[in-house]
Amino acid sequence: MKDQASVLRETDGEARKLARTLLRSARYAAIAVLDLGTGFPFASRVLLGTDIDGVPVILVSGLSTHTRALDADRRASLLTGEPGKGDPLAYARLTTQCLAEPVERDSEAHARIRNRFLNRHAKAKLYIDFPDFRFFRLVPQSASLNGGFGRAYLLEGSDLTIRSEANEAVAANADAIVQELLARHPDLATTVATGMKAGSGDWRICGVDCAGFDLILGDLLLRHEFETVAQGVDELYSHIPNIKYSIPEI
Amino acid sequence: MKDQASVLRETDGEARKLARTLLRSARYAAIAVLDLGTGFPFASRVLLGTDIDGVPVILVSGLSTHTRALDADRRASLLTGEPGKGDPLAYARLTTQCLAEPVERDSEAHARIRNRFLNRHAKAKLYIDFPDFRFFRLVPQSASLNGGFGRAYLLEGSDLTIRSEANEAVAANADAIVQELLARHPDLATTVATGMKAGSGDWRICGVDCAGFDLILGDLLLRHEFETVAQGVDELYSHIPNIKYSIPEI
């Protein structure tokens, strides 16, 4: 532990924001589970969404190895943050240790998660309602942020979840809230995307919650995090004029 | 098991070739290990190389979570095969279940692996000789190929290793063999890369073994697999005129 401590940095607000952004802007992730029977770790790829409280969600086939593993042992690990040009290890990535919760098909949570997932992954409509496809919420327990060489931070699960009394209201009125955001700021999506140097184009808000919103353009997904978590819908609107158009850097 | 069997296809030569290509052309991978202490699966990112027998190798810091995990439990899983544009799940990927073998620093194996790794990851020379950096060989025990929706194949560890009496000779004479290849076929690298629709450019052969060779251009890595494994250096040369310039498709 002494050795590990020597490379760990103190976890600050910027590190937490980067971690949340890496998790919430990931279209897909590597998931590690415990293989049923052998106990081996098993790494595979999953599409990723988020629930209204920031908890990552996966849509998986009951036929797949990771699904059968999660049915037997809830422990999972998600790797998010993809490399770009140059050294892959120079790019920030996040390992999130999670406990999987199955989402019952006829539940309110399922409807909410399904809706948010389809807004992000439109093509999933081809199979999202197949009887063998299910959602899991992967509730963060802790996380490890690697911001590049020598930049390691430990986070708590609560650093990655959104605690707000307005979660339910925002989920129930998401479409109306996005319309209101765009009514107040018609060029909001493009302005934020351009500020993040993501290039111009027909960016669309594909998800909103009390901690920020998600932007999508084709294969690209961006996450805008508010400075603080909104505790009501009005407070959420109030964040918009204060948006800083920058990606956190550590 | 009945459910899984229903989506599995019979593993044929094309599936094996695709699997080998996914493993041997990966610059980096997600690795899953068993976290020391908690027993959780833990997913992180590692640079990837291969040893002369096709066994994947990683260069890791003793300070990292995955290294301490592997010291306590040798079991690991590698996910290779990166998505491109469009649906991430439409792209083939390979999960390789491995047992990790530490590579002793002053061994012949270390010199061979170090040399091959630097040919592929030139920037690693900045830290490859740091006292806390070590190599592991991740010896494949089995693998699971997902070639896209409904295209699942199981492989044996031996499908991913190169068994040839010429392995040692090829490793010891790799530079000379590459020179001889290029003397016989000066445009070999570019021709193969173009055949793989990887674009033209100053492609370089960065690794050769009895089953094929690796091509590199900046951040891009390609794998050319021979039709059969060469059992001698002359047989290796004899594969070159017969190269088929296509990527395996399943």
Side-chain angles (χ1 to χ4, degrees):
Chain A
M1 292 307 291
K2 181 174 176 292
D3 279 346
Q4 188 182 35
S6 69
V7 296
L8 281 178
R9 297 190 178 193
E10 188 177 354
T11 304
D12 56 13
E14 282 302 289
R16 288 188 187 91
K17 186 171 181 178
L18 176 58
R20 290 193 297 260
T21 304
L22 288 170
L23 187 60
R24 294 170 188 170
S25 64
R27 284 199 308 147
Y28 59 91
I31 187 171
V33 296
L34 298 173
D35 189 37
L36 185 61
T38 68
F40 256 75
F42 184 92
S44 54
R45 183 167 295 133
V46 286
L47 287 188
L48 208 61
T50 61
D51 200 353
I52 193 66
D53 58 355
V55 166
V57 299
I58 56 173
L59 174 67
V60 288
S61 160
L63 304 181
S64 67
T65 303
H66 43 242
T67 306
R68 291 177 301 131
L70 290 176
D71 278 336
D73 192 315
R74 315 166 59 196
R75 295 177 289 181
S77 180
L78 287 176
L79 175 66
T80 53
E82 293 303 311
K85 290 183 182 296
D87 188 340
L89 299 189
Y91 288 83
R93 62 273 187 193
L94 181 74
T95 297
T96 308
Q97 303 300 88
C98 310
L99 289 177
E101 293 177 353
V103 178
E104 295 297 325
R105 183 170 289 264
D106 294 322
S107 64
E108 205 170 301
H110 187 277
R112 175 184 74 228
I113 289 168
R114 180 182 181 282
N115 189 43
R116 289 178 55 86
F117 199 87
L118 283 177
N119 274 338
R120 175 185 283 211
H121 299 290
K123 289 182 183 168
K125 69 175 179 292
L126 296 173
Y127 52 86
I128 198 167
D129 294 322
F130 283 2
D132 64 313
F133 273 78
R134 298 152 55 193
F135 283 109
F136 284 95
R137 281 167 47 91
L138 299 178
V139 183
Q141 307 298 303
S142 63
S144 172
L145 169 65
N146 190 324
F149 293 106
R151 292 177 175 174
Y153 305 82
L154 292 183
L155 292 96
E156 299 180 10
S158 59
D159 289 330
L160 297 171
T161 54
I162 301 167
R163 291 174 303 286
S164 170
E165 293 182 1
N167 278 349
E168 301 276 329
V170 171
N173 300 289
D175 290 348
I177 290 171
V178 170
Q179 285 178 26
E180 177 63 23
L181 286 176
L182 295 176
R184 296 181 185 210
H185 305 275
D187 56 354
L188 179 63
T190 299
T191 307
V192 171
T194 306
M196 289 183 176
K197 298 179 180 169
S200 58
D202 191 17
W203 289 91
R204 177 173 65 82
I205 296 178
C206 66
V208 64
D209 54 62
C210 292
F213 53 85
D214 310 324
L215 296 171
I216 197 166
L217 175 62
D219 298 332
L220 302 173
L221 191 64
L222 296 177
R223 172 69 183 178
H224 178 82
E225 285 277 313
F226 300 143
E227 291 303 310
T228 58
V229 173
Q231 296 298 327
V233 173
D234 284 344
E235 190 183 331
L236 190 156
Y237 293 141
S238 77
H239 281 302
I240 301 301
N242 301 320
I243 283 175
K244 293 179 184 173
Y245 302 113
S246 65
I247 300 174
E249 292 185 10
I250 61 169
Chain B
M1 291 307 292
K2 181 173 176 295
D3 279 345
Q4 188 183 35
S6 69
V7 295
L8 281 178
R9 297 193 178 191
E10 187 177 353
T11 304
D12 57 13
E14 281 302 288
R16 290 190 186 91
K17 186 172 180 179
L18 175 58
R20 290 193 297 259
T21 304
L22 289 169
L23 187 59
R24 295 172 188 168
S25 65
R27 284 200 307 150
Y28 59 91
I31 187 171
V33 296
L34 299 172
D35 190 35
L36 185 62
T38 68
F40 256 75
F42 184 92
S44 54
R45 183 167 295 134
V46 287
L47 288 187
L48 207 61
T50 61
D51 200 352
I52 193 67
D53 57 355
V55 165
V57 298
I58 57 173
L59 174 66
V60 288
S61 161
L63 304 180
S64 68
T65 301
H66 44 241
T67 306
R68 290 178 302 131
L70 289 176
D71 278 336
D73 192 314
R74 313 166 59 195
R75 294 178 288 181
S77 181
L78 286 177
L79 174 66
T80 53
E82 294 303 310
K85 289 183 184 298
D87 188 339
L89 299 189
Y91 288 83
R93 62 273 188 195
L94 181 74
T95 298
T96 308
Q97 303 300 86
C98 311
L99 289 177
E101 293 178 351
V103 178
E104 295 297 324
R105 183 170 289 265
D106 293 322
S107 64
E108 205 170 301
H110 188 278
R112 176 183 72 229
I113 289 167
R114 180 182 181 282
N115 188 44
R116 288 177 57 86
F117 199 87
L118 283 176
N119 274 338
R120 175 184 283 210
H121 300 290
K123 288 181 184 167
K125 68 176 181 290
L126 296 172
Y127 52 85
I128 198 167
D129 294 322
F130 283 3
D132 64 312
F133 273 79
R134 298 153 53 194
F135 282 109
F136 283 95
R137 280 167 49 92
L138 299 178
V139 183
Q141 307 297 305
S142 63
S144 173
L145 169 65
N146 190 325
F149 293 108
R151 293 177 174 175
Y153 304 83
L154 292 182
L155 292 95
E156 300 181 9
S158 58
D159 289 330
L160 298 170
T161 53
I162 301 167
R163 291 174 303 286
S164 171
E165 293 182 1
N167 277 350
E168 300 276 328
V170 170
N173 300 288
D175 290 348
I177 290 170
V178 170
Q179 284 178 25
E180 177 65 20
L181 287 176
L182 295 177
R184 296 182 185 208
H185 304 275
D187 57 352
L188 179 64
T190 299
T191 306
V192 171
T194 306
M196 288 183 177
K197 298 179 181 169
S200 57
D202 190 17
W203 289 91
R204 178 173 64 82
I205 296 178
C206 67
V208 64
D209 55 61
C210 292
F213 53 85
D214 309 325
L215 296 171
I216 197 166
L217 174 62
D219 298 331
L220 303 173
L221 191 64
L222 296 177
R223 171 70 183 177
H224 177 82
E225 285 277 312
F226 300 142
E227 290 304 308
T228 58
V229 173
Q231 295 298 326
V233 174
D234 284 344
E235 190 183 332
L236 190 156
Y237 294 142
S238 76
H239 281 302
I240 302 302
N242 302 320
I243 284 174
K244 293 179 184 173
Y245 301 114
S246 64
I247 300 175
E249 291 184 11
I250 60 169

